[in-house]
Amino acid sequence: MISFGIGIQMDLVKYSISFGISSLQNLTEGIGNNAFGYYSLQKLTKGTYNNAFGASALNSVTTGSFNTAIGRDAMVNNVSGNHNVGIGQDALKSNVVTSFYIIFICLPEL
């Protein structure tokens, strides 16, 4: 695992990258997780191929896999969902455990 900021490295973590304070800090088992932004994927303990880009993106997920969150607080409350995509600030913010191909794009108000 490549980590910049505060994080830990374990033998069961492979091909994962984190950049930001507390990003991926609890990961103990997983492959191909990417976290860019402070607190992104912070609580993930076991999961594969999650991608979080933005502050607190996918912050609460603990065991999910194949999720992508792009934007500040995107999917921030998701705990164990799988195969979800949230794009934009606060996208899928209320999604907690829903799984399987939920795609939500949150556009800012003009």
Side-chain angles (χ1 to χ4, degrees), residues 43-66:
K43 297 176 184 171
L44 182 68
T45 57
K46 183 178 180 181
T48 57
Y49 303 109
N50 291 293
N51 297 288
F53 301 92
S56 297
L58 275 169
N59 174 270
S60 299
V61 70
T62 57
T63 58
S65 293
F66 303 101

Side-chain angles (χ1 to χ4, degrees), residues 80-100:
S80 61
N82 298 295
H83 301 278
N84 296 298
V85 177
I87 300 172
Q89 181 174 333
D90 298 324
L92 287 173
K93 187 174 185 175
S94 299
N95 182 44
V96 178
V97 293
T98 305
S99 295
F100 302 107

Side-chain angles (χ1 to χ4, degrees), residues 20-81:
I21 295 172
S22 298
S23 62
L24 276 178
Q25 79 172 15
N26 292 309
L27 186 63
T28 57
E29 185 177 342
I31 297 172
N33 294 290
N34 300 294
F36 296 89
Y38 63 89
Y39 306 121
S40 57
L41 282 170
Q42 178 185 20
K43 297 176 184 171
L44 182 68
T45 57
K46 183 178 180 181
T48 57
Y49 303 109
N50 291 293
N51 297 288
F53 301 92
S56 297
L58 275 169
N59 174 270
S60 299
V61 70
T62 57
T63 58
S65 293
F66 303 101
N67 293 298
T68 298
I70 301 171
R72 179 183 179 94
D73 294 328
M75 296 177 60
V76 68
N77 294 315
N78 185 290
V79 176
S80 61

